[in-house]
């Protein structure tokens, strides 16, 4: 989880000849398949599969994984595979909503700082540094504690802690664009400051911002599940990956491992797949800086 | 070590302290502003269930007593001035002064984090060097994939699985707490056996980034001229790897440890609450669940201060180890 780790991260990924390239292609393909499978499962299973994830069957409680219940059942006899898909859906939705919010805020702040420059830029970046001195999860916990757990406080708390890295990326990009000839041309052509920012700077910044947003989704998912696990996130009856793991604690201490194991895997696999795909995307939009796969 | 270097370091530390003051001011102000904007009522939190039956007059009197009828800026200033004299208010969930809660628990958190780091750094170094030796080999790919998977895994999930494996299946380690429930005194042996699992999980959660950085650093160093020179001089592979590549590859990574304090705090928060470790991070969760504002405010400030100290430490180490870096530039 190194969204805004220092720049040492941006080191060059050495190419290992054709062998390395084929591994990379394989990784990208696997990631693409997994991301597609995740999206399809999340979009299609709830409307198509006529099964109730809340269907309680006390006679079938805590069954180990079997043919009829591939992931087993939980302490109320609910099918865990179905619960995990629903949980992934909630976690992904919350994560995506938070990532979009954070990206919009971060892009606006970063573009303003980069485009205006001077003391406004310095002030804004000092503020960004200040907010990022508070550990993310702690700030998130504080916000949720003050506003009572729920879907919206969780989204706000994740967004509030994640716009900082986007603001930094966008500001750096705007600063590097400002000295390009086409911007000079627009300015000497009489374009207003606002027009330069919206028509010329913003479109050029968008790919970077979109990439940051995609990379932020797993972060936001992780953050949401941590908050939910601590009992400070989504309400316990809403299946999210965090609440599933939280709810499985009792069964785990009684020796049943499956209600804990599978929701965790549902966090890891999409995270790796999204990171793998985003890494390939970054290589495409910025081939000079072929950076290491980053979570 | 020449004295101008120490002078430069002291000047850097001084500058950072000057920068830390406004940061802490803004953070505490923000904390009070968020609390003021929230629907949370400190009087109801203080009085608990008794507030339900109380009439408005009593509640108002209580408000005046607690000083929460003033605007939040005034409360912030009052909190700040008393915090400077060591008085952080009263924790409502622990029924103790906040300073006392922090003082009692800080030791245990520090112990947990120190042991975890002491385990993660050598393990990460060994794994990173092994992976860097032959880039693209099976071992390299295994280490790298494992590191990415662990980095993506939620810490609390790893902690739960560790409890299941080591406490339930194998029955070799206690599942949580600081001592056995029956024991009345805190003995070193008890603490040590209860420390293994939480510290191990925290170490594993900090391991991936360290391993990957070491792999990258040593891998880059192996491609550089000094290493090529050492190989040309006929030095053994061992001497090349440990004497040259590891030395130049590891130092920049070690200096990064300071800047990873936020991740360490996040990890400790989750690990402590899974293992009921009586540290400061577990207290944060309790404080948040019970909306214990004085404790939360103090802990947020403390964590921010820890992050700032970590950043300073990273910069100081970086300047100390890398003679090309000038302190006056930072």
């Amino acid at each position: 989880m190194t969204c805004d780790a220092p720049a040492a991260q941006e080191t060059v990924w050495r190419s290992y000849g054709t062998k390395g390239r084929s591994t990379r292609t394989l990784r990208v393909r696997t990631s693409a398949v997994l991301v597609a499978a995740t999206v399809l499962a999340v979009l299609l299973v709830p409307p198509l599969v006529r099964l109730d994830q809340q269907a309680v069957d006390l006679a079938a409680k805590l069954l180990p994984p079997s043919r009829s219940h591939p992931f087993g059942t939980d302490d109320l006899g609910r099918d865990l595979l179905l619960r995990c898909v629903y949980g992934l859906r909630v976690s992904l939705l919350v994560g995506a909503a938070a990532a979009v919010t954070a990206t919009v805020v971060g892009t606006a702040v970063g573009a303003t700082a980069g485009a205006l420059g001077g003391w406004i830029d310095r002030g804004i970046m000092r503020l960004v540094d200040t907010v990022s001195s508070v550990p993310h999860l702690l700030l998130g916990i504080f916000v949720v504690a003050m506003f009572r757990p729920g879907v919206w406080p969780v989204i706000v708390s994740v967004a509030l802690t994640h716009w900082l890295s986007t603001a930094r990326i966008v500001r750096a990009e705007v600063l590097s664009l400002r000295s390009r000839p086409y911007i000079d041309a627009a300015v000497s052509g009489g374009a207003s400051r606002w027009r330069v920012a919206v028509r010329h700077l913003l479109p050029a910044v968008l790919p970077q911002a979109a990439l940051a947003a995609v990379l932020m989704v797993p972060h936001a998912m992780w953050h949401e599940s941590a908050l939910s696990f601590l009992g400070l996130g989504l309400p316990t009856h809403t299946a999210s990956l965090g609440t599933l793991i939280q709810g499985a604690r009792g069964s785990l201490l009684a020796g049943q491992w499956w209600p804990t194991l599978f929701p965790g895997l549902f966090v890891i696999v999409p995270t790796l797949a999204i990171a793998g795909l985003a890494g390939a995307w970054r290589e495409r939009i910025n081939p000079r800086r072929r950076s290491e796969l980053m979570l | 070590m020449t004295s101008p270097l120490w002078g430069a370091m002291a000047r850097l530390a001084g500058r950072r302290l000057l920068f830390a003051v406004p940061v802490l001011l803004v953070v505490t102000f923000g904390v009070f502003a968020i609390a003021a904007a929230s629907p949370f009522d400190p009087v109801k939190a203080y009085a608990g269930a008794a507030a339900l039956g109380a009439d408005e007059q009593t509640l108002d009197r209580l408000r005046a007593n607690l000083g929460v009828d003033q605007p939040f800026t005034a409360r912030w200033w009052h909190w700040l001035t008393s915090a400077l004299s060591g008085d952080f208010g009263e924790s409502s969930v622990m029924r103790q002064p906040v300073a006392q809660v922090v003082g009692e628990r800080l030791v245990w958190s520090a112990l947990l984090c120190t042991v975890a780091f002491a385990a993660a750094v050598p393990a990460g170094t060994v794994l990173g060097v092994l992976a860097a030796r032959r880039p693209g080999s099976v071992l390299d790919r295994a280490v790298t994939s494992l590191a990415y998977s662990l980095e993506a895994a939620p810490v609390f999930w790893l902690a739960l699985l560790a409890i299941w494996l080591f406490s339930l299946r194998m029955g070799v380690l206690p599942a949580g707490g600081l001592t056995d429930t029956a024991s009345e005194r805190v003995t070193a042996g008890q603490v040590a056996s209860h420390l293994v699992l939480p510290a191990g999980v925290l170490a594993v959660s900090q391991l991936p980034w360290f391993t990957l950085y070491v792999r990258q650093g040593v891998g880059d160093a192996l491609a550089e001229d000094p290493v090529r020179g050492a190989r040309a001089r006929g030095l053994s592979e061992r001497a090349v790897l440990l004497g040259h590549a590891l030395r130049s590859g590891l130092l920049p990574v070690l200096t990064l440890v300071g800047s990873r304090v936020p991740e360490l705090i996040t990890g400790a928060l989750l690990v402590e609450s899974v293992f009921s470790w009586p540290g400061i991070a577990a207290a944060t969760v309790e404080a948040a669940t019970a909306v214990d504002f004085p404790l939360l405010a103090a802990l947020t400030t403390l964590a921010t201060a820890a992050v700032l100290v970590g950043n300073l430490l990273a910069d100081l180490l970086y300047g100390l180890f890398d003679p090309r870096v000038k302190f006056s530039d930072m």
Side-chain angles (χ1 to χ4, degrees):
Chain A
M1 297 290 145
T2 50
C3 201
D4 38 29
Q9 194 125 8
E10 304 289 342
T11 35
V12 181
W13 179 270
R14 274 185 311 287
S15 134
Y16 301 126
T18 47
K19 198 171 156 197
R21 203 169 303 135
S22 72
T23 324
R24 201 154 51 229
T25 322
L26 182 70
R27 190 169 70 214
V28 171
R29 284 198 187 138
T30 322
S31 304
V33 169
L34 285 174
V35 168
T38 307
V39 171
L40 283 180
V42 158
L43 289 180
L44 294 183
V45 167
L48 288 186
V49 180
R50 303 233 161 267
L51 290 170
D52 183 9
Q53 53 132 350
Q54 303 279 20
V56 174
D57 181 4
L58 288 176
K61 68 176 186 179
L62 289 169
L63 292 178
S66 65
R67 193 174 290 240
S68 58
H69 298 289
F71 284 8
T73 58
D74 69 1
D75 53 349
L76 291 174
R78 293 174 291 197
D79 181 62
L80 269 172
L81 175 57
L82 205 56
R83 293 281 287 171
C84 282
V85 172
Y86 273 85
L88 182 64
R89 181 178 151 102
V90 170
S91 291
L92 262 182
L93 272 179
V94 170
V100 168
T101 318
T103 307
V104 170
V105 174
T107 308
V109 172
T112 312
L116 295 181
W119 63 270
I120 300 180
D121 179 32
R122 279 199 299 279
I124 289 179
M125 291 331 280
R126 268 291 148 90
L127 185 69
V128 168
D129 287 344
T130 304
V131 181
S132 58
S133 315
V134 188
H136 285 178
L137 189 63
L138 191 60
L139 184 55
I141 285 178
F142 182 75
V143 170
V144 173
M146 284 294 143
F147 287 87
R148 299 285 79 205
V151 175
W152 285 107
V154 169
I155 292 179
V156 169
S157 112
V158 179
L160 197 69
T161 49
H162 282 65
W163 59 276
L164 308 156
S165 53
T166 315
R168 286 204 183 104
I169 294 169
V170 168
R171 171 179 173 270
E173 199 71 8
V174 167
L175 283 184
S176 82
L177 288 170
R178 259 176 52 169
S179 51
R180 298 278 175 86
Y182 79 96
I183 300 291
D184 288 342
V187 172
S188 47
S192 69
R193 200 176 264 256
W194 174 249
R195 192 180 158 83
V196 170
V198 173
R199 288 298 297 276
H200 299 287
L201 286 176
L202 214 51
V205 167
L206 276 185
Q208 289 287 344
L211 180 65
V214 169
L215 274 170
M216 207 184 290
V217 172
H219 268 271
M221 260 175 73
W222 189 92
H223 206 97
E224 178 275 322
S225 58
L227 283 177
S228 298
F229 174 75
L230 293 174
L232 293 163
L234 304 180
T236 38
H237 56 82
T238 314
S240 86
L241 296 171
T243 55
L244 283 177
I245 299 177
Q246 161 71 15
R249 280 180 84 167
S251 331
L252 183 93
L253 292 177
Q256 283 91 15
W257 49 269
W258 53 94
T260 304
L261 180 74
F262 292 113
L265 291 181
F266 266 56
V267 178
I268 298 178
V269 172
T271 302
L272 289 178
I274 292 174
L277 215 54
W281 182 11
R282 186 194 349 239
E283 283 178 18
R284 274 191 81 128
I285 62 173
N286 202 346
R288 270 176 310 143
R289 201 175 57 195
R290 202 183 261 162
S291 14
E292 190 163 344
L293 210 158
M294 165 170 109
L295 292 171
Chain B
M1 271 327 129
T2 49
S3 55
L5 182 64
W6 292 110
M9 283 173 69
R11 272 196 297 281
L12 175 71
R15 253 202 324 279
R16 286 307 169 83
L17 280 181
L18 279 183
F19 174 63
V21 172
V23 168
L24 287 175
L25 282 179
V26 171
V27 167
T28 50
F29 187 82
V31 161
F32 274 81
I34 291 176
S38 83
F40 157 71
D41 186 349
V43 170
K44 296 210 170 117
Y46 177 79
L52 294 175
D55 55 310
E56 270 310 305
Q57 243 177 339
T58 323
L59 287 181
D60 279 345
R61 211 165 43 237
L62 206 53
R63 254 184 210 112
N65 258 348
L66 288 172
V68 290
D69 51 345
Q70 297 160 350
F72 82 89
T73 43
R75 268 184 289 145
W76 169 67
W77 187 248
H78 179 247
W79 182 85
L80 207 63
T81 43
S82 44
L84 283 179
S85 61
D87 174 20
F88 288 87
E90 189 92 7
S91 156
S92 60
V93 62
M94 310 281 176
R95 302 280 172 201
Q96 267 179 330
V98 168
Q100 201 182 331
V101 176
V102 172
E104 279 170 8
R105 289 169 164 259
L106 197 58
V107 189
W108 298 121
S109 287
L111 177 70
L112 178 69
C113 293
T114 314
V115 173
F117 248 108
V121 167
T125 310
V126 170
L127 285 175
V129 169
L130 284 179
R133 254 177 70 184
R134 282 196 188 76
S137 68
V138 177
L139 185 67
D140 176 33
R141 278 192 240 168
V143 168
T144 315
S145 326
L146 186 70
Y148 280 124
S149 309
L150 280 180
E151 180 84 4
V155 191
F156 51 90
W157 179 74
L158 290 176
L160 289 172
L161 291 182
I163 290 183
W164 176 79
L165 183 64
F166 293 106
S167 305
L168 297 171
R169 279 311 286 271
M170 294 160 64
V172 285
L173 289 168
L178 185 64
T179 54
D180 288 338
T181 34
S183 106
E184 285 171 355
R185 284 185 312 120
V186 180
T187 60
Q190 290 262 333
V191 172
S193 71
H194 283 75
L195 182 64
V196 174
L197 266 191
V201 171
L202 193 56
V204 165
S205 77
Q206 300 298 316
L207 196 58
W209 73 268
F210 196 78
T211 308
L212 291 173
Y213 276 118
V214 170
R215 174 185 172 275
Q216 194 79 39
V218 173
D220 287 348
L222 276 175
E224 276 169 12
D225 288 340
V227 166
R228 216 170 289 155
R231 285 225 169 95
R233 291 203 304 279
L235 279 133
S236 71
E237 189 59 33
R238 196 189 154 84
V240 169
L241 203 62
L242 299 182
H244 293 78
L246 185 61
R247 269 185 68 166
S248 65
L250 190 62
L251 284 182
V253 185
L254 277 180
T255 60
L256 279 177
V257 168
S259 60
R260 297 287 298 198
V261 172
E263 282 78 6
L264 187 66
I265 292 177
T266 302
L269 243 155
L270 294 164
V271 168
E272 284 189 8
S273 71
V274 172
F275 288 102
S276 339
W277 187 256
I280 203 158
T284 313
V285 179
E286 279 178 54
T289 316
V291 204
D292 184 349
F293 178 72
L295 188 53
L296 271 180
L299 290 174
T300 311
T301 315
L302 187 70
T304 311
V307 171
L308 293 174
V309 170
N311 285 342
L312 173 65
L313 207 65
D315 285 346
L316 287 179
L317 286 176
Y318 200 66
L320 207 57
F321 285 142
D322 195 335
R324 287 167 301 183
V325 177
K326 287 209 177 59
F327 281 117
S328 48
D329 296 342
M330 288 198 280

